[in-house]
C-alpha cells in the first residue's frame, strides 16, 4: 500500500491524525503531513478509514504493484 497526500487540498480537519497517528501528522498550520508513506499491512485499515473520513479528499491510497519480470 502506498499513501499520498495533497497538502493543497487539506482543510485541516485532523480526522487523519485522529484515525491514524502512525501515518499522519499536521504542521503548525494544521495541514496534513505524511509520516510514513509506505505504511504496513497493519496500517491499511486505519489509512483506508482516514482517507474515507477526509472531508477534502486530500489522502490517496494505492496498492503496490510488482514490477515487470
Amino acid at each position: 500500500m502506498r499513501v499520498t497526500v495533497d497538502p493543497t487540498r487539506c482543510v485541516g480537519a485532523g480526522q487523519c491524525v485522529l484515525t491514524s497517528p502512525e501515518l499522519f501528522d499536521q504542521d503548525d498550520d494544521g495541514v496534513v503531513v505524511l509520516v510514513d508513506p509506505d505504511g504496513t499491512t497493519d496500517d491499511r485499515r486505519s489509512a483506508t478509514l482516514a482517507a474515507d473520513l477526509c472531508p477534502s479528499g486530500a489522502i490517496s491510497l494505492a496498492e503496490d504493484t510488482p514490477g515487470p519480470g
Side-chain angles (χ1 to χ4, degrees):
M1 173 186 66
R2 185 94 176 135
V3 181
T4 57
V5 297
D6 182 350
T8 64
R9 293 184 70 174
C10 179
V11 296
Q15 294 302 307
C16 55
V17 178
L18 293 172
T19 304
S20 191
E22 63 281 355
L23 294 176
F24 305 102
D25 200 354
Q26 289 175 291
D27 66 13
D28 292 338
D29 295 322
V31 176
V32 64
V33 174
L34 188 58
V35 175
D36 183 5
D38 295 319
T40 66
T41 302
D42 294 338
D43 299 328
R44 181 181 306 271
R45 184 174 175 189
S46 64
T48 301
L49 182 58
D52 289 344
L53 291 174
C54 180
S56 64
I59 300 170
S60 300
L61 306 176
E63 293 300 320
D64 285 334
T65 54

